Amino acid sequence: MAEFTLELNDDQKQVRDWLHGFAADVIRPAASEWDEREETPWPVIQEAAKVGIYSLDFYAQQFFDPTGLGIPMAMEELFWGDAGIALSIVGTGLAAVGVLANGTEEQIGTWIPQMYGDADDVKVAAFCSSEPDAGSDVASMRTRAVYDQAKDEWVLNGTKTWATNGGIAGVHVVVAVVDPELGSKGHASFIVPPNTPGLSQGQKFKKHGIRASHTAEVVLEDVRVPGHCLLGGKEKLDQRLARARERAASGGERVKNAAMATFEASRPAVGAMAVGTARAAYEVALDYAKTRTQFGRPIIDNQGIAFQLADMRTQIDAARLLVWRASWMATTGKPFTSAEGSMSKLYASETAKKVTAQAVQILGGNGFTREYPVERMHRDAAIYTIFEGTSEIQRLVIARTLSGMPIR
């Protein structure tokens, strides 16, 4: 088991510097253009694939870093470059985590490589959980998966929403209800392979921020997938459903939910994304405060500005520490007895919103224009307190974990 440390080793520093260089040289120069276009930045994703950033091998190396710091370090640097483009580069990772969290070794080896493609033929993947009437309330999910035993196929029907890469993805990972009587415990995850009939893109959303990341509805109409596309396999599903029924009858402990397992694994990574955006805005504000003069002196000489910057840096460092702790705990198998994963996501997300707003204020009128990047960073930061569990849901998870009450 790796000891907890705040010092990156030489290999990690090398990777961090490499990612920072890509973010500075490739992502940032393209950020404003793709934000305005509100389109997937395929050329940037392809560049990331060419240098090895957008690849299964890269994310596997970071995911299996024994210190747990590989993924949060990578997320921070990429999102320091630009949140929208970075989400287009890493969005496939949520679908991959869905397979890693719930799939068999064979499914992991078969489907995750197909999610990325290669540098000459880049692909993306989508994780589809939220629905128009079931976001945080996963128990209200309506998408159904019915098993056709004669053909060994699952038939999926429903509509998913807020899906990153939804509709343009090759591989979709879809969470559906297999036993409505069990509520959220009756869910399972399915692979929908490329070009499967019945899957289509619904509405594409025009968003406040992260506009370079494609977000859309995914419509499933009699989508048939082979039995082997059920993540974890039918035998494991039947056993899990049987346990859920027994515990429901006896009032026992809860059974792991497929969608929640994915979110629990990814929350510290989302916190790291928020840290990257906050750090970027802070650095712009700091540089501006040191060079902008009013009344014959740099505005950082004013305590009103200086104290804001001090608070911004303190909050960013505190958020990073919470993210690193949760990431280390997850990697080393330490349970989140106090919902440390949700703590990291909650605090980092709220910090990103606060810090980017302060950065706009420090830049004054300039901060309100698109000539400076803090306006875009502030819009982008709003998503962190919403997706993969709102701040309100994180507080609920933390409170119920501390009290010992079940998280439904």
Side-chain angles (χ1 to χ4, degrees):
M1 179 180 295
E3 294 296 326
F4 182 71
T5 177
L6 298 177
E7 180 66 29
L8 299 178
N9 60 41
D10 291 340
D11 289 341
Q12 290 169 327
K13 290 177 181 177
Q14 185 176 6
V15 171
R16 178 199 61 192
D17 294 344
W18 171 52
L19 291 171
H20 187 81
F22 183 85
D25 298 338
V26 180
I27 294 178
R28 279 204 168 180
S32 178
E33 174 189 351
W34 291 99
D35 177 72
E36 293 285 350
R37 291 174 63 166
E38 299 191 52
E39 297 174 359
T40 300
W42 290 107
V44 183
I45 299 174
Q46 188 167 32
E47 285 300 311
K50 286 179 179 178
V51 300
I53 293 173
Y54 186 76
S55 70
L56 172 60
D57 288 344
F58 173 74
Y59 287 106
Q61 289 174 10
Q62 304 316 309
F63 185 84
F64 291 110
D65 180 335
T67 69
L69 301 185
I71 289 293
M73 178 190 66
M75 294 301 105
E76 180 177 339
E77 294 304 328
L78 292 173
F79 280 74
W80 172 89
D82 176 69
I85 291 178
L87 190 57
S88 287
I89 293 173
V90 308
T92 293
L94 185 58
V97 169
V99 176
L100 284 169
N102 301 294
T104 64
E105 290 186 8
E106 182 179 357
Q107 289 169 331
I108 292 169
T110 299
W111 295 110
I112 293 183
Q114 294 187 47
M115 292 179 175
Y116 289 94
D118 56 47
D120 296 322
D121 187 19
V122 170
K123 305 292 185 183
V124 294
F127 182 76
C128 307
S129 177
S130 293
E131 297 183 2
D133 296 317
S136 299
D137 183 11
V138 295
S140 296
M141 191 176 293
R142 295 180 180 178
T143 297
R144 296 289 188 265
V146 178
Y147 184 57
D148 184 342
Q149 187 170 1
K151 296 183 178 180
D152 186 27
E153 292 179 337
W154 289 89
V155 185
L156 279 64
N157 282 282
T159 299
K160 295 296 182 178
T161 194
W162 311 123
T164 299
N165 298 329
I168 66 171
V171 176
H172 290 74
V173 177
V174 177
V175 181
V177 178
V178 294
D179 190 333
E181 294 183 0
L182 292 175
S184 62
K185 302 176 184 67
H187 296 176
S189 294
F190 299 84
I191 292 285
V192 180
N195 304 313
T196 298
L199 185 148
S200 62
Q201 178 183 309
Q203 176 187 5
K204 178 187 175 183
F205 296 103
K206 297 180 73 66
K207 305 188 298 295
H208 175 66
I210 55 167
R211 301 198 302 196
S213 174
H214 176 95
T215 309
E217 290 181 330
V218 174
V219 181
L220 304 129
E221 298 178 309
D222 291 330
V223 172
R224 286 183 169 268
V225 298
H228 61 76
C229 286
L230 166 64
L231 290 180
K234 193 167 188 306
E235 181 179 354
K236 183 177 178 181
L237 172 64
D238 289 341
Q239 293 173 353
R240 179 166 62 82
L241 295 178
R243 291 196 305 271
R245 295 185 189 104
E246 291 174 2
R247 288 169 179 169
S250 63
E253 62 185 62
R254 68 189 184 99
V255 178
K256 184 178 79 170
N257 171 269
M260 295 308 294
T262 301
F263 293 136
E264 286 170 5
S266 63
R267 276 172 180 157
V270 176
M273 298 173 189
V275 171
T277 299
R279 190 184 112 209
Y282 158 76
E283 290 176 0
V284 173
L286 177 63
D287 289 343
Y288 186 88
K290 291 193 293 186
T291 57
R292 171 71 167 173
T293 59
Q294 289 286 283
F295 305 105
R297 60 180 183 175
I299 61 173
I300 199 170
D301 283 353
N302 298 315
Q303 285 188 351
I305 300 296
F307 285 5
Q308 282 192 73
L309 289 163
D311 287 343
M312 291 159 73
R313 177 59 184 267
T314 300
Q315 291 158 2
I316 291 167
D317 283 9
R320 184 185 297 109
L321 288 173
L322 285 171
V323 167
W324 281 20
R325 180 185 67 169
S327 300
W328 173 77
M329 290 177 69
T331 297
T332 54
K334 294 185 178 297
F336 289 162
T337 55
S338 299
E340 287 85 353
S342 289
M343 283 184 183
S344 69
K345 199 266 185 186
L346 169 65
Y347 189 80
S349 298
E350 296 289 342
T351 294
K353 283 189 67 174
K354 184 184 300 183
V355 166
T356 55
Q358 288 175 303
V360 171
Q361 189 69 23
I362 289 171
L363 268 67
N366 285 327
F368 199 66
T369 71
R370 296 187 184 180
E371 296 299 314
Y372 288 80
V374 292
E375 175 271 340
R376 184 180 68 251
M377 294 168 183
H378 183 43
R379 286 189 285 109
D380 291 342
I383 194 60
Y384 298 125
T385 62
I386 298 172
F387 72 174
E388 294 198 48
T390 63
S391 288
E392 291 75 19
I393 289 295
Q394 304 309 320
R395 290 185 174 96
L396 180 64
V397 170
I398 295 166
R400 289 189 170 175
T401 301
L402 297 175
S403 69
M405 295 177 64
I407 304 168
R408 297 183 175 88

